[in-house]
């Protein structure tokens, strides 16, 4: 398949070079080990927020480095966890003495390497708190996880934690807010086709033209089931039913944030059609979509599909979501 790569071996390094060259006012790139950091980090008196994961999900996480969101991001190779050395180096580069919150998606390699980095940092007196994101209601265990996978809520956690850190919250406060977002978020995705692996030029899994993978993972992991292709409204209805059913009886009420992200090849037109139906579904349930984010913010190479996330808001989470942010992929406010 034709792709805009020079070589499969340089996909990640050249993409990082590109984001650094086009956003020098926001971030800097370090190598050996590789990480991206805010150009003004460490920021005196402020908690740092660091995340990371395998490349191929852009703009998550590298596109979210900047004021109001991440202090640093650690990109692994394609669909490969960053190393403990990367995480440790990134934290040391941005920690200003107030501690660092580590936002970790629940994948075995990510969890292990972030834990190792936290232990190395603790031995040197660097305080960290981990926020583990596990919001995918599709399956309990999967190819790379024990327990639920971390998906769309990761973006929401990074935004809320980044805003809290920016306003001067303590390490414990920033971490608690991140965990609150996790507890109040549920996600599910579906795919019409898999992503293309640069090294092979082939899809990561095969899917007949008349089927979808319902509950697909962001690395192409199997979902709940393969189902016949249906009109998009029926697919969204099924996804929203699964998401909403996973909340407790008293948990899903009031204002919510709806996050719809394309998984790589879904067009803005398609994402808007999905969002339209999701808003209608939530309205029928007596919920008000007070905030939304629609676009491609967490991808899986060029997978054709979408992921939906619902976050139940409270006044403080809404305030932190609205707070200014300035990154390569997300920006509003001053």
């Amino acid at each position: 398949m034709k792709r805009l790569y020079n070589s499969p071996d340089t996909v990640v390094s050249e993409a990082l070079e590109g984001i650094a060259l086009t956003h020098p006012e926001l971030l800097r790139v370090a190598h050996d080990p590789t990480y991206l950091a805010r150009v003004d980090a460490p920021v005196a008196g402020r908690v740092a927020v660091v995340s990371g994961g395998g490349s191929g999900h852009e703009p998550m996480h590298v596109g979210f480095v900047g004021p109001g969101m991440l202090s640093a991001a650690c990109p692994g190779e394609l669909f490969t966890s960053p190393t403990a050395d990367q995480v440790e180096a990134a934290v040391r580069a941005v920690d200003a003495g107030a501690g660092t919150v580590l936002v970790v998606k629940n994948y075995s390699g990510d969890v292990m390497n972030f834990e190792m980095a936290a232990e190395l940092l603790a031995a040197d007196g660097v305080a960290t708190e981990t926020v583990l994101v596990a919001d995918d209601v599709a399956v309990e265990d999967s190819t790379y996880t024990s327990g639920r996978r971390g998906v769309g809520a990761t973006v929401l956690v990074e935004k809320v934690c980044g805003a809290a850190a920016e306003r001067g919250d303590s390490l414990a406060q920033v971490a608690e807010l991140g965990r609150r977002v996790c507890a109040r978020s549920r996600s599910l995705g579906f795919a019409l086709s898999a992503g293309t692996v640069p090294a092979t030029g082939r899809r990561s899994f095969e899917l007949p033209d008349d089927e979808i993978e319902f509950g697909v993972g962001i690395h192409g992991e199997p979902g709940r089931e393969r189902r016949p292709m249906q009109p998009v409204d029926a697919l969204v209805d099924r996804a929203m039913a699964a998401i909403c059913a996973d909340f407790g009886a008293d948990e899903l009420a009031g204002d919510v944030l709806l996050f719809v992200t394309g998984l790589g090849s879904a067009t803005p037109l398609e994402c808007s059609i999905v969002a339209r139906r999701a808003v209608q579904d939530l309205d029928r349930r007596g919920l008000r979509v007070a905030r939304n984010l629609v676009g491609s913010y967490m991808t899986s190479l060029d997978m054709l599909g979408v992921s939906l996330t619902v976050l139940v808001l409270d006044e403080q989470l809404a305030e932190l979501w609205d707070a200014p942010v300035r990154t390569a992929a997300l920006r509003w406010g001053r």
Side-chain angles (χ1 to χ4, degrees), residues 12 16 34 52-56 58 61-62 73-83 86:
V12 175
L16 295 178
T34 301
S55 296
E58 290 74 20
H61 304 270
V62 295
C74 310
E77 292 299 320
L78 285 172
F79 292 174
T80 302
S81 300
T83 65
Q86 284 179 266

Side-chain angles (χ1 to χ4, degrees), residues 68-69 158-169 319-321 323-324:
M69 211 156 175
E158 291 174 354
K159 173 63 179 76
V160 167
C161 286
E166 200 74 26
R167 75 180 181 184
D169 284 17
E319 177 185 332
L320 290 166
W321 181 259

Side-chain angles (χ1 to χ4, degrees), residues 38-289:
R38 280 177 59 163
V39 73
D40 59 346
V43 180
R46 295 292 186 267
V47 169
V49 182
V50 174
S51 190
S55 296
H57 305 303
E58 290 74 20
M60 188 178 77
H61 304 270
V62 295
F64 301 137
V65 174
M69 211 156 175
L70 293 178
S71 309
C74 310
E77 292 299 320
L78 285 172
F79 292 174
T80 302
S81 300
T83 65
D85 287 349
Q86 284 179 266
V87 178
E88 181 189 10
V91 172
R92 291 188 185 279
V94 299
D95 190 283
T100 297
V101 169
L102 304 175
V103 180
V104 185
K105 302 188 302 301
N106 189 34
Y107 296 95
S108 300
D110 290 20
V111 171
M112 179 179 67
N113 290 339
F114 273 84
E115 281 182 353
M116 288 174 58
E119 290 170 2
L120 292 168
L121 292 160
D124 214 16
V126 180
T128 64
E129 287 277 355
T130 296
V131 176
L132 185 65
V133 187
D135 56 308
D136 190 348
V137 305
V139 294
E140 286 299 325
D141 297 293
S142 189
T143 310
Y144 304 111
T145 64
S146 175
R148 293 186 169 186
R149 303 176 293 217
V151 288
T154 311
V155 178
L156 313 186
V157 170
E158 291 174 354
K159 173 63 179 76
V160 167
C161 286
E166 200 74 26
R167 75 180 181 184
D169 284 17
S170 70
L171 178 62
Q173 289 170 326
V174 176
E176 188 280 326
L177 285 161
R179 293 174 189 134
R180 194 191 307 176
V181 173
C182 293
R184 290 167 163 258
S185 297
R186 304 289 189 276
S187 300
L188 190 138
F190 54 85
L192 284 63
S193 65
T196 308
V197 180
T200 64
R202 298 192 180 99
R203 299 286 187 185
S204 61
F205 62 87
E206 294 301 322
L207 194 59
D209 288 343
D210 60 349
E211 291 184 359
I212 66 152
E213 187 75 38
F214 186 78
V216 69
I218 58 171
H219 307 95
E221 308 98 310
R224 285 190 177 185
E225 59 181 335
R226 288 195 174 179
R227 296 186 52 79
M229 181 62 188
Q230 295 175 281
V232 66
D233 282 1
L235 297 177
V236 174
D237 287 350
R238 190 173 188 87
M240 294 302 296
I243 288 169
C244 293
D246 199 79
F247 285 98
D250 299 327
E251 293 178 318
L252 190 59
D255 288 353
V256 300
L257 184 155
L258 172 67
F259 176 33
V260 176
T261 180
L263 293 176
S265 288
T267 65
L269 191 74
E270 291 168 302
C271 289
S272 293
I273 293 170
V274 169
R276 157 196 159 273
R277 187 60 173 185
V279 171
Q280 291 172 346
D281 181 276
L282 291 166
D283 182 66
R284 284 195 297 269
R285 298 174 189 273
L287 302 165
R288 186 175 79 101
V289 179

